């Protein structure tokens, strides 16, 4: 069973930066794409971005494009979410996720993803 474990996050001031990490317990070739979502209180889970294990191609939601960067370290089975120029509206629980589908079939809907981490809180103060 694949497990995803996030770390990092915490409290940061507006305009600041934080990096969240996600360690994959078992790097299998069935995991094609890694992604990040977030969920604020009272809101639906929102897609942030994703990265392919092979080739490292990334895709971002418009709300974070230019501020957030996703990267991966295959040797460490780790995916990173670097968040810069943070705003109070970025406050949420951030989730790491993985999909076993072909990359072209992975959508931005939470239903398209197979494994989820427990989430880590990021709070941005104004």
């Amino acid at each position: 069973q694949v497990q995803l474990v996030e770390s990092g996050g915490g409290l940061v001031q507006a305009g600041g930066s934080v990096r969240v990490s996600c360690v994959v317990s078992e790097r299998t070739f069935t995991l094609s794409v890694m992604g990040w979502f977030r969920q604020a209180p009272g809101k639906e889970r929102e897609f942030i971005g994703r990265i392919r294990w092979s080739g490292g191609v990334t895709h971002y939601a418009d709300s974070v494009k230019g501020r957030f960067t996703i990267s991966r370290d295959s040797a460490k089975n780790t995916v990173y979410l670097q968040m810069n120029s943070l705003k109070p509206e970025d406050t949420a629980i951030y989730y790491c996720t993985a999909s076993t589908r072909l990359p072209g079939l992975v959508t931005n809907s939470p239903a398209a993803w197979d494994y989820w981490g427990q989430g880590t809180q990021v709070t941005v103060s104004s």
Side-chain angles (χ1 to χ4, degrees):
Q1 179 72 12
V2 174
Q3 293 185 329
L4 308 178
V5 180
E6 300 104 334
S7 62
L11 177 64
V12 61
Q13 289 188 335
S17 299
V18 69
R19 188 177 79 165
V20 180
S21 302
C22 172
V23 177
V24 183
S25 64
E26 185 178 330
R27 170 69 177 100
T28 72
F29 290 102
T30 60
L31 297 183
S32 60
V33 185
M34 300 295 296
W36 288 95
F37 282 71
R38 66 184 179 187
Q39 189 166 20
K43 295 188 177 181
E44 294 185 350
R45 194 163 294 192
E46 175 191 16
F47 170 81
I48 295 175
R50 65 188 203 187
I51 185 168
R52 294 189 184 186
W53 272 117
S54 177
V57 176
T58 55
H59 172 72
Y60 299 96
D62 289 342
S63 59
V64 304
K65 196 174 296 182
R67 299 189 299 124
F68 290 10
T69 302
I70 298 173
S71 61
R72 87 268 191 259
D73 185 333
S74 298
K76 295 182 178 180
N77 289 353
T78 302
V79 178
Y80 303 98
L81 175 63
Q82 176 68 42
M83 298 180 277
N84 299 327
S85 302
L86 283 163
K87 307 173 183 179
E89 51 263 43
D90 294 318
T91 295
I93 298 175
Y94 284 73
Y95 295 93
C96 175
T97 184
S99 179
T100 60
R101 303 183 185 197
L102 291 174
L105 299 179
V106 180
T107 70
N108 297 346
S109 167
W113 301 81
D114 303 295
Y115 301 100
W116 293 85
Q118 81 286 355
T120 186
Q121 178 72 44
V122 173
T123 302
V124 184
S125 63
S126 58

